[in-house]
Amino acid sequence: MLPDKLKKSAAMVILLIMVLVLPSSAGEYIPTNRDTLTDPEPMEFVSRYPEDFDLLYETENFRFYFRDDRDVLAVYDKRNGYTWKTGLDIPFSKDIDDAIDEAIEKGETPNYVPKEDKLNTTYTGIANSLITVEYYDTTLNIKRTSSAPHGKEASKLMKFSDDHYRLDISFADILLEMKVHIYFDDNGVRYEIRDDEIQGADIDIVAAVLISPFLGASGGVKVHWNEEEQEYNIRVPNTMIPGYVLVPDGSGALIRFRNNSSMLKPYVGDVYGKDYSQATYYYENDQGYVPFKNPTMPVFGIAHGQNQNAFVAYAVEGGEYMEIVVMPEENVTYYNWAYPRFVYNTAYHQVYNRRGDGYFTIMEERNHFNIEMRYDFLQGDGSDGSPSADYVGMALRYREYLRDSKIIADRKQKEDQIPIRLDFVMSDVKKSIFGYEDVVVTTASQTKDILLDIYDMGITRISSGLLGFQKGGITTGKPWKVSWSGEIGRKNDFIDLIETAKEKGMDVSFSQDYTLINEVQMSLPSNATKHINGWLNEYWHSRFTSFPIEMLSYAKPRKSAEWLEKQTDIFKDLGVVSFTIDGISNKLLSDYSRQGNTVSEAIFIYQNLFRELNEGYKINAYTPNQYLWPYVDRFLNAPVFSTQYVIETDNVPFLQLVLADSIELYAPYSNFSFYTDKDCLRMIDFNVYPSFLLSHESSHYLASTNSANFYSTEYNLYKELIQRIYTTVNGALSQVADTKWTDREVLDNGIVLNTYENGIEILINYTDNPYKYRDEEVEPLSYHVFARR
């Protein structure tokens, strides 16, 4: 323990430091992982052709090489001389030791080649090889084997045509054979792994397939020979390549290459969200924190240097079974590395009685799907018209692929105003003496009055979704029919609301979740998905014990589609021009009931239905996954932050850059803590439109319902805020509504410059200090629109 006198002295020193240091640094903007940092430092590299490699194919932009003994594919970019390798291309430590022993036996001076630290024989094979397989041993632990193991020839490269090769693999540690098709073109490399070309007695214990996990890896430590001590013990870190991994977490996140002072957990992004039917347990609990965000698209990328070299990798097929994994330095190895992981089997808890007793096992029947994975290589700063070698270029290149594949289309049109989304919570249920009763906070008539009031403010481009529009409210209202309520509004009241809105050019629709269900709504055994263990999936609200409905389940995809079709037929008769859809849009589940489905089949069901609904009607969807984008007109609740895992260093608008010219993107509800000056600037920066969730009555009436998390919705509290936020965001985005977003640059910490195809630039100043650009001083916490130069 410190004496009191020493404690006082220490406190005085700290106070003095604060007095002297804080004034000089108070105005400095300190970025967090909610911001985008400035570009990485430039990297130095020497242009040379790969050594000990055979040339396979050449295009205008690339030369493709292969090293057979290590299964390493090298891509030499002719545009700037940079070489990418799918593996580290390093020798095994055991081979180095054997060569030293052999030289000593011959009386020769050994060549003490540096070894890789923290890479054992298995991981050296993984670090080199093109394909790694994860499999379950008899204790259900995951083991790994690669296509280039030590001391064994496990693969053979076959040529089919100049631009088409096939790597035939017979894995050494398990009875498994796989054929990997490799195609070359002037954008990069494409891999295909066809389901019917995976064979062998151990096929059912395969957990996952990893493709080129060390492509673009940065970091590592070499162990050098110590001549004095006659052993390998001098550890020298490799020069860390400046750069990052781009992951589609939420809006998008960067994970910068860095030396970590402690072990960080890896990033694992489950593309399209978790399939709860193949989860470890059949039940899930609300954990009491903001839900993690899931990738809505099967894409990631790696950048090296400052607008110098990058690649963007994406699944053309098999994305519904894909995970994106980023391993930080100090976790397993001293490298930062990232890869796609395609899941074929998983371990789960098989329950055999009502007490929940059971055992762990793996699926008897693995997942069946084809893999098609593309790697497109980028270089330069984009001045030549090609996508730049950074996250912006990755987004633009991916957008180009989506457009060419007709997954998205350019839909820009000139408007004087930007749109706004105004949703209304109308009712939900609470427990009563005789079951449940409706709690009504907005009627159809009140909704009409609020919309007309906002219209009279001069805000005219309004779309709106009605939540809890029928008996049973949001939580227990039937998703396949409509039971009108005199308290909320009769059928004619809603027709009047819709027609009045249409006369003003406003769009009012009914909002329904077609996936989350409960036993008050319906019988669960015939409607809910079954887990692989045969039990119905359950989701428990353990955080909100006051909820009247504590346990939810997930609807069978076939049922969800059937309900959506039935209910939208009713909505059509009411004169709506759009549908607002939740659940189906962002949850993807398999079902192990008798008439079940895989996640691939669920996608097929949803796509067919959305295609039909989109004929003559607009679709508003909450955070929709990529497979539904061809049919979505309004993307609701577009994330503007990542999950903000500790491993993530930057937040970027990757999703928005991909979709900005194709789908209307709406920010999270501003009345739920997204209304500060910085939040308004973020809407402008990320090119998303404002949205609010409103009610006529105070939201405290919802405190005893499952909608208690809608904690502040009363219109009278937000009327002025709606006008202020809309005016601010409209002042910027209305000027770029009919043009393409082409670049985003961080000029300094807290200073972002967005560039558009029509030459307009918008500078966003997140800081507390003015910033000068093009002889114009941009005030703190503001933006400025610069006309074409």
Side-chain angles (χ1 to χ4, degrees):
M1 296 289 292
L2 289 173
D4 289 343
K5 187 174 181 180
L6 189 54
K7 286 182 179 178
K8 290 179 180 178
S9 298
M12 289 297 293
V13 170
I14 293 171
L15 182 60
L16 181 62
I17 292 172
M18 292 175 66
V19 170
L20 293 175
V21 174
L22 284 181
S24 63
S25 61
E28 182 182 352
Y29 187 85
I30 308 298
T32 69
N33 67 353
R34 293 165 70 93
D35 299 291
T36 308
L37 307 181
T38 54
D39 287 340
E41 293 296 317
M43 68 175 297
E44 296 182 3
F45 62 92
V46 178
S47 175
R48 64 165 64 97
Y49 292 131
E51 298 176 358
D52 300 321
F53 282 71
D54 296 321
L55 177 64
L56 301 182
Y57 187 64
E58 184 171 2
T59 69
E60 181 180 350
N61 290 336
F62 303 108
R63 291 168 65 98
F64 301 96
Y65 297 83
F66 190 73
R67 179 165 180 166
D68 188 60
D69 61 330
R70 293 179 182 169
D71 268 10
V72 177
L73 182 70
V75 180
Y76 176 81
D77 194 326
K78 295 160 63 176
R79 297 168 294 182
N80 67 353
Y82 194 67
T83 298
W84 295 89
K85 292 183 178 180
T86 56
L88 295 183
D89 190 21
I90 56 174
F92 288 91
S93 293
K94 189 177 187 308
D95 290 341
I96 295 174
D97 292 337
D98 289 346
I100 291 171
D101 292 341
E102 183 179 348
I104 292 173
E105 287 179 7
K106 293 180 178 179
E108 300 173 354
T109 302
N111 180 16
Y112 293 104
V113 176
K115 299 179 180 179
E116 288 284 339
D117 197 14
K118 218 173 177 180
L119 280 182
N120 60 21
T121 300
T122 298
Y123 265 91
T124 299
I126 293 170
N128 281 338
S129 62
L130 194 65
I131 300 294
T132 292
V133 165
E134 295 180 346
Y135 63 94
Y136 289 101
D137 65 9
T138 54
T139 61
L140 298 187
N141 288 317
I142 285 187
K143 298 290 184 69
R144 295 172 178 84
T145 184
S146 71
S147 59
H150 178 260
K152 301 169 185 175
E153 188 175 335
S155 63
K156 183 179 181 181
L157 190 68
M158 311 282 289
K159 181 176 180 179
F160 283 79
S161 65
D162 288 345
D163 61 353
H164 176 198
Y165 286 75
R166 193 182 74 194
L167 188 68
D168 292 353
I169 309 168
S170 180
F171 290 94
D173 299 311
I174 56 174
L175 298 174
L176 182 72
E177 295 180 353
M178 181 182 298
K179 301 182 191 305
V180 182
H181 295 263
I182 307 171
Y183 298 88
F184 304 118
D185 57 43
D186 214 30
N187 286 319
V189 185
R190 178 167 61 91
Y191 303 106
E192 285 186 14
I193 301 176
R194 300 165 187 171
D195 191 69
D196 60 1
E197 293 183 340
I198 306 174
Q199 299 174 347
D202 288 333
I203 192 170
D204 289 328
I205 66 171
V206 173
V209 169
L210 286 51
I211 298 178
S212 59
F214 276 77
L215 172 63
S218 177
V221 174
K222 293 284 195 300
V223 185
H224 293 257
W225 177 257
N226 188 325
E227 188 64 32
E228 289 185 7
E229 299 181 14
Q230 290 292 293
E231 64 175 336
Y232 279 97
N233 62 11
I234 301 174
R235 286 169 172 78
V236 179
N238 296 336
T239 300
M240 184 75 73
I241 298 173
Y244 51 75
V245 182
L246 174 280
V247 293
D249 177 27
S251 60
L254 305 184
I255 299 172
R256 304 233 175 188
F257 298 143
R258 58 185 180 180
N259 294 308
N260 300 308
S261 57
S262 60
M263 183 182 293
L264 300 178
K265 287 185 177 180
Y267 167 82
V268 180
D270 198 339
V271 174
Y272 302 148
K274 189 175 186 176
D275 178 4
Y276 293 101
S277 298
Q278 289 190 4
T280 306
Y281 300 97
Y282 70 90
Y283 54 85
E284 297 280 333
N285 290 298
D286 184 335
Q287 298 297 322
Y289 44 69
V290 177
F292 297 151
K293 296 176 174 64
N294 298 306
T296 57
M297 46 190 159
V299 58
F300 74 100
I302 289 180
H304 284 180
Q306 187 181 105
N307 291 320
Q308 292 172 281
N309 302 284
F311 70 78
V312 57
Y314 48 93
V316 176
E317 194 173 359
E320 61 269 35
Y321 294 100
M322 176 180 166
E323 295 176 348
I324 299 165
V325 183
V326 182
M327 299 294 294
E329 186 260 357
E330 280 285 357
N331 191 314
V332 181
T333 77
Y334 286 124
Y335 283 90
N336 299 276
W337 45 301
Y339 55 91
R341 181 179 187 266
F342 292 90
V343 179
Y344 284 88
N345 207 328
T346 187
Y348 67 93
H349 188 243
Q350 179 63 58
V351 177
Y352 55 75
N353 63 28
R354 292 190 175 277
R355 288 191 314 179
D357 297 328
Y359 56 90
F360 289 95
T361 185
I362 59 175
M363 300 189 303
E364 290 184 5
E365 182 71 18
R366 68 175 178 86
N367 295 323
H368 290 272
F369 58 97
N370 297 323
I371 297 173
E372 184 177 350
M373 191 77 191
R374 274 211 63 95
Y375 289 76
D376 292 346
F377 296 92
L378 315 174
Q379 64 83 38
D381 60 6
S383 57
D384 61 355
S386 64
S388 54
D390 60 1
Y391 71 88
V392 175
M394 296 176 198
L396 298 184
R397 176 65 192 100
Y398 191 55
R399 184 170 76 188
E400 186 180 317
Y401 154 72
L402 293 176
R403 192 168 55 240
D404 292 345
S405 304
K406 302 189 185 311
I407 296 172
I408 61 174
D410 293 337
R411 301 183 184 179
K412 284 291 183 181
Q413 54 186 12
K414 181 60 179 174
E415 298 283 354
D416 294 331
Q417 289 188 349
I418 64 168
I420 190 172
R421 181 74 182 183
L422 301 174
D423 288 342
F424 291 87
V425 53
M426 305 190 82
S427 72
D428 209 347
V429 295
K430 68 177 182 179
K431 285 185 178 178
S432 69
I433 297 174
F434 301 105
Y436 299 89
E437 66 176 271
D438 289 343
V439 177
V440 180
V441 290
T442 315
T443 66
S445 176
Q446 290 165 345
T447 301
K448 181 177 72 172
D449 291 341
I450 293 172
L451 287 174
L452 291 176
D453 191 39
I454 295 172
Y455 185 89
D456 289 341
M457 294 181 194
I459 302 174
T460 59
R461 290 192 64 199
I462 300 172
S463 69
S464 179
L466 308 178
L467 288 73
F469 52 86
Q470 62 170 317
K471 288 179 181 178
I474 294 172
T475 305
T476 65
K478 302 295 190 289
W480 61 86
K481 66 177 185 177
V482 177
S483 299
W484 303 112
S485 161
E487 291 183 89
I488 306 168
R490 298 291 183 186
K491 179 178 179 180
N492 286 338
D493 296 323
F494 281 98
I495 291 174
D496 178 52
L497 165 61
I498 293 166
E499 289 302 320
T500 300
K502 269 203 288 190
E503 289 172 4
K504 300 289 188 180
M506 296 184 285
D507 173 3
V508 174
S509 60
F510 297 90
S511 177
Q512 181 68 51
D513 189 320
Y514 296 94
T515 297
L516 283 178
I517 57 176
N518 59 78
E519 59 187 359
V520 177
Q521 283 177 304
M522 64 191 75
S523 168
L524 293 183
S526 58
N527 291 294
T529 55
K530 272 190 178 180
H531 188 270
I532 179 68
N533 70 4
W535 291 65
L536 298 181
N537 287 307
E538 298 177 357
Y539 181 84
W540 288 87
H541 281 300
S542 56
R543 177 167 50 138
F544 299 105
T545 54
S546 63
F547 279 8
I549 309 295
E550 291 187 38
M551 195 274 284
L552 303 175
S553 193
Y554 305 98
K556 302 172 185 286
R558 297 184 196 279
K559 286 289 186 180
S560 295
E562 175 188 321
W563 300 336
L564 174 59
E565 190 170 20
K566 286 182 177 180
Q567 199 175 55
T568 51
D569 282 343
I570 299 172
F571 297 155
K572 290 175 184 178
D573 291 339
L574 300 175
V576 300
V577 295
S578 72
F579 309 114
T580 297
I581 301 169
D582 198 0
I584 284 179
S585 57
N586 49 57
K587 290 182 178 63
L588 184 63
L589 283 84
S590 54
D591 175 28
Y592 285 89
S593 59
R594 186 174 299 174
Q595 299 292 324
N597 61 268
T598 65
V599 289
S600 301
E601 290 167 340
I603 289 175
F604 182 76
I605 292 168
Y606 294 158
Q607 285 178 328
N608 284 340
L609 181 55
F610 270 58
R611 187 183 299 111
E612 292 176 13
L613 292 177
N614 200 214
E615 294 178 2
Y617 295 87
K618 288 189 174 183
I619 291 181
N620 319 296
Y622 287 94
T623 324
N625 287 325
Q626 179 187 290
Y627 49 82
L628 294 177
W629 290 354
Y631 322 106
V632 172
D633 298 276
R634 300 185 181 110
F635 190 122
L636 309 181
N637 194 31
V640 290
F641 294 107
S642 66
T643 304
Q644 297 172 57
Y645 295 108
V646 175
I647 189 178
E648 295 174 341
T649 56
D650 305 48
N651 186 51
V652 296
F654 182 80
L655 171 70
Q656 287 79 1
L657 281 160
V658 170
L659 290 179
D661 307 326
S662 302
I663 300 175
E664 288 182 12
L665 298 165
Y666 292 87
Y669 295 131
S670 284
N671 47 312
F672 296 145
S673 301
F674 193 66
Y675 54 78
T676 66
D677 289 341
K678 283 188 178 180
D679 294 329
C680 290
L681 293 176
R682 188 173 295 273
M683 290 185 219
I684 296 168
D685 181 7
F686 281 39
N687 284 248
V688 294
Y689 303 130
S691 69
F692 287 82
L693 179 63
L694 304 172
S695 64
H696 181 269
E697 303 296 334
S698 170
S699 58
H700 80 263
Y701 291 111
L702 298 171
S704 297
T705 74
N706 276 55
S707 297
N709 53 323
F710 297 152
Y711 53 83
S712 183
T713 58
E714 187 179 351
Y715 172 61
N716 286 333
L717 299 177
Y718 290 103
K719 180 176 178 178
E720 292 182 4
L721 185 66
I722 291 170
Q723 189 166 34
R724 179 176 68 80
I725 288 180
Y726 182 83
T727 301
T728 299
V729 179
N730 183 63
L733 297 187
S734 62
Q735 301 190 51
V736 293
D738 62 341
T739 189
K740 293 182 180 179
W741 186 10
T742 57
D743 197 15
R744 180 176 186 266
E745 183 182 0
V746 178
L747 304 180
D748 202 348
N749 287 333
I751 306 294
V752 175
L753 182 70
N754 283 333
T755 304
Y756 299 85
E757 194 175 54
N758 63 0
I760 285 179
E761 295 177 324
I762 301 179
L763 188 137
I764 299 98
N765 183 358
Y766 287 105
T767 76
D768 294 322
N769 298 309
Y771 186 85
K772 196 167 187 178
Y773 180 73
R774 286 173 57 177
D775 297 325
E776 186 78 33
E777 192 168 86
V778 182
E779 293 299 313
L781 292 173
S782 68
Y783 70 89
H784 188 85
V785 179
F786 293 89
R788 180 190 293 271
R789 292 177 185 268

